[in-house]
Amino acid sequence: MSLRLGYGLNGFTDHRLEDALALLAELGYDGVALTLDHAHLDPFAPDLAGRAARVGALLERHGLAVVVETGARYVLDPRRKHEPTLVSDTGRARRIDLLERAIRVAAEVGSPTVSCWSGIAPAGASRDELWSRVEAGVAALLPVADSHGVDLALEPEPGMFLERIADVLELRRRLGSPDRLRLTIDVGHLRCTEDAEPAACILGAGDLVANVQIDDMRRGVHEHLPLGEGEVDFPPVLAALEAIEFAGLVAVELPRHSHAAPSLAASSLEFLRDAARRPQEVGR
């Protein structure tokens, strides 16, 4: 298998970063998805650049690649999950500041991509207003991303304003299809919300895919499940990623399973390697 497998550190929040990285490297993972949060790299604590440099050195010591994620639940507001966002009625500048910090961290630790999402549409805001907000926010971030050589990858998230791949493609169109604006795919989300099968979605997105999160899920239920416990057919998904020559990390995304992180990391790697060995025919 030519795909590079990673594990999301938001599923290792009960571990010190040093211990999590050592464990994942020992298991044989190729990299990690690093969520900026209090657990491993707080984006608002003092000396962010210095701490990011130390994280970069740790990653290099263990031979791990990295992608930066920004989906921490309470990093901006201790009372409101994920708020404020790019589409909130107020406070959007704070989300943009967080994403700018993430871009700088990505450049420091060697991540080619920063992954983010739009946020849940607040009640009472028109679709035109929501489009205006998300366009303005992303447009402000793209020059920062470009100056640091980092891609911004929007993730369609169930229940959010940008919920499906088509929504992200529409945002790209509205902004003139900028090279730095690409796509994060969560395989479970594809099963949850998209009409087509996950493998077909991946093939359709092609080289716009900059980041992949992998987990299991059921149709219409936004719950990240360990691999094999939902409805995703994984061999064709992995074959589709091979077919589009995806070169980034395919990182296991189990943010509610830190209590079982070591065993799930081991079993997830075994599951994906086994799924990749099963022959599949994937055509465009």
Side-chain angles (χ1 to χ4, degrees):
M1 177 171 60
S2 63
L3 295 175
R4 297 189 301 153
L5 301 179
Y7 202 93
L9 292 174
N10 62 354
F12 257 91
T13 54
D14 292 332
H15 285 69
R16 298 178 185 88
L17 179 62
E18 296 86 344
D19 294 339
L21 295 181
L23 190 154
L24 290 168
E26 181 182 301
L27 285 173
Y29 278 93
D30 301 299
V32 296
L34 172 64
T35 296
L36 300 190
D37 202 357
H38 63 87
H40 298 133
L41 184 56
D42 187 336
F44 295 109
D47 189 24
L48 178 58
R51 290 181 294 112
R54 290 190 286 277
V55 170
L58 270 176
L59 291 163
E60 185 174 0
R61 181 191 311 167
H62 289 293
L64 293 168
V66 63
V67 62
V68 170
E69 297 275 356
T70 60
R73 296 184 182 96
Y74 294 101
V75 70
L76 291 176
D77 187 323
R79 294 175 179 82
R80 299 182 303 156
K81 179 181 174 182
H82 294 322
E83 292 290 333
T85 72
L86 292 173
V87 295
S88 296
D89 289 331
T90 61
R92 295 187 298 278
R94 295 178 58 213
R95 175 61 58 175
I96 292 170
D97 174 56
L98 171 62
L99 295 175
E100 288 178 347
R101 289 168 184 257
I103 289 166
R104 295 195 293 271
V105 167
E108 181 63 53
V109 301
S111 168
T113 304
V114 166
S115 180
C116 62
W117 31 244
S118 62
I120 295 172
S126 70
R127 286 193 62 80
D128 286 346
E129 174 61 25
L130 294 169
W131 275 116
S132 177
R133 292 174 185 179
V134 75
E135 286 176 55
V138 173
L141 289 164
L142 287 172
V144 183
D146 195 46
S147 68
H148 286 83
V150 172
D151 287 334
L152 193 65
L154 265 289
E155 177 188 358
E157 180 88 15
M160 291 195 178
F161 179 59
L162 301 182
E163 185 176 42
R164 296 186 175 211
I165 291 173
D167 299 326
V168 177
L169 298 183
E170 172 63 12
L171 176 63
R172 292 189 82 253
R173 185 195 67 78
R174 287 168 176 255
L175 293 174
S177 301
D179 291 339
R180 287 289 179 194
L181 181 54
R182 299 180 66 197
L183 178 68
T184 288
I185 276 182
D186 182 304
V187 171
H189 293 173
L190 300 180
R191 178 59 184 160
C192 181
T193 60
E194 300 285 348
D195 296 327
E197 288 299 311
C201 293
I202 291 166
L203 291 172
D207 60 8
L208 286 180
V209 180
N211 183 39
V212 174
Q213 303 162 357
I214 195 162
D215 48 81
D216 216 338
M217 210 167 283
R218 298 186 179 96
R219 177 75 70 190
V221 182
H222 187 195
E223 180 184 2
H224 291 245
L225 300 172
L227 307 181
E229 295 188 10
E231 299 173 350
V232 174
D233 188 6
F234 285 94
V237 164
L238 299 178
L241 290 170
E242 296 267 17
I244 66 169
E245 299 181 351
F246 178 68
L249 289 174
V250 180
V252 177
E253 175 82 348
L254 294 173
R256 298 184 183 273
H257 291 76
S258 286
H259 63 284
S263 60
L264 274 175
S267 61
S268 297
L269 187 61
E270 181 180 359
F271 182 98
L272 290 171
R273 286 173 170 170
D274 178 66
R277 284 192 289 266
R278 294 182 232 162
Q280 292 287 330
E281 292 294 327
V282 177
R284 291 186 182 274

